[in-house]
Structure formats: structure tokens, C-alpha cells
Amino acid sequence: MAAWLQQQQRMPQTPDEPPTHADVEVAGGSFVADRSGALYWPEERLLIVSDLHLEKGSSFARHRNHIPPYDTAVTLKQLRLLIDAYAPARVVSLGDSVHDRKAWSRLGPDDQAALTQMVGAVTDWVWITGNHDPEPPQGIPGLSVSDLYVGSAIFRHHPGGPVHDGATEIAGHLHPAPRVVGRGASARRPAFVTDGMRMILPAFGAYTGGLCLSSPAFKPLFQRQNLRAFVCGRSRVFTVPGHRIMGWG
């Protein structure tokens, strides 16, 4: 298992490649898990991303930790490619869309124009509030809410909250990046994690890290016997059962 993950990390990737994906069934709904970390719901024409953490680079720079300040432009470019590919009617960003409360005001003119144009290109754009962005975006259109019901699904930032009977929770926040084992080796990659009733998306932002599923934060959220990870490789999405994920068991 680790061998193919390592192979994916060596493979070149160009921005113009068509997106590859895996089909995912969650509580009777059919979704598309894109290798970029975005989730698409064809029935609702709904594109979901989580944890963009825009302006994380400039946030670090304010604390004299200078890293290349290109994360926002890279993240927005990837999001633009997905919108062009899937042509959604609605986009939902599952919280932590920016890295801190003042990040909206630090968006450069080009990035702000690009984001405003994207928001205007779809019928509805919903910003779910998160712990990094508890307030509505400044100067960017769209609806800001703490959670959102669409059909049988509830979208929110923090997983594990209350849901109506029979609802499916789709959340972010934890940045799942399981360590997958096989053939005596292991490797970590971002992943969608689900037990068929709840799903947690990987972080979409260019500068975001990941949390191993061995973290206690995941244990109460999933049914052990039904756990699966849809691991984002360089050229495709791989389905990995729970027993092949290190630390889960």
C-alpha cells in the first residue's frame, strides 16, 4: 500500500490535468471525492471544500515566520479549476476559509478580484463559520452561516455536533491525513474519511497540514467496522479500508 502512495508522490502533475476521483456513498447519497480534496454532490450540483486557510502565509509573516506568500493564489487557482470542471450551482466552504480574523483584509487586489469573480460565477456560495473565521467575510459576497442543511446532509465545520434523525454530517476542521500501512512500510496523505454516516473532508488550502487518524479526536466520530479512507494521491483517489490505516483499531 505504501508503495503506490510513494509512487504517486513522484508522479508529475500539471494544472490542466482532468480531475480524477472516487465515487463515495454516504447515508444513501452519491458523492464524488476529487483528488484535490473537494467533494462534489451531483444530485444537488453542490461543490464542497474545507479549510482553505487563505492568507496563512501572511499570518505567519506577521509573527516573523516568513514563508513564500503564494498560498492564497495557489488555493484559489485550484478552486477555479474545480468550478470550471464541475460547473456547480452552489459552493459550500466548510469553515476556516481564512487563517485568522483579519485575513480577509489582507487579501491582495488580484486575489480578492479572483475570489469575488468565482463567487459571482455560481448561483449560491455559502461560507460556514469556523474557529479561525467566526465572523462573516469582509468585502466578499456570499451567505455566512454556522451550519447548513441540504436534503439529508448537514454541513458544518466541527464534526460531532447534533443532527436531525437520519441526517448525514459532512464536516472539516480535523484535516484528516491517515498513515496507511502495507508491505512493511507506511505513508501519509490527505484523505476523506467516512463510516457511511459521517464524512470529514481533508483540508483544501495549499499550506494546510494533516492529522493522523491515530489522534483521539477521530475515535468517537466513526464506527470502527465501517471506516474507510479515500486517500488523495497525485493522480487518483485510492479507497483504503480501516484495517490498513495505522493507529485505527
Side-chain angles (χ1 to χ4, degrees), residues 16-171:
D16 296 328
E17 286 180 337
T20 52
H21 58 267
D23 296 328
V24 183
E25 296 289 327
V26 182
S30 297
F31 296 83
V32 175
D34 190 274
R35 73 168 185 228
S36 66
L39 186 69
Y40 184 62
W41 190 358
E43 183 181 357
E44 297 288 342
R45 293 186 60 202
L46 174 59
L47 182 70
I48 308 110
V49 291
S50 186
D51 296 271
L52 305 180
H53 283 270
L54 301 176
E55 293 301 308
K56 183 173 182 177
S58 65
S59 179
F60 275 39
R62 293 171 65 213
H63 297 91
R64 299 187 178 183
N65 185 356
H66 294 282
I67 54 179
Y70 306 121
D71 56 306
T72 295
V74 171
T75 300
L76 293 181
K77 182 177 181 180
Q78 182 63 39
L79 186 52
R80 175 81 262 181
L81 289 172
L82 288 168
I83 290 173
D84 290 344
Y86 288 105
R90 177 184 289 181
V91 174
V92 174
S93 183
L94 293 177
D96 286 0
S97 299
V98 290
H99 192 65
D100 61 69
R101 297 187 183 202
K102 297 182 179 180
W104 293 113
S105 63
R106 296 199 307 275
L107 284 173
D110 291 344
D111 292 334
Q112 184 164 2
L115 182 55
T116 300
Q117 184 181 38
M118 273 193 284
V119 173
V122 298
T123 303
D124 294 303
W125 193 293
V126 181
W127 303 102
I128 303 292
T129 55
N131 52 294
H132 283 256
D133 55 353
E135 299 171 354
Q138 301 171 17
I140 304 296
L143 175 67
S144 179
V145 297
S146 60
D147 52 38
L148 175 73
Y149 271 96
V150 178
S152 61
I154 181 170
F155 298 93
R156 55 164 56 108
H157 182 62
H158 291 88
V163 297
H164 295 165
D165 291 343
T168 301
E169 183 184 70
I170 298 177

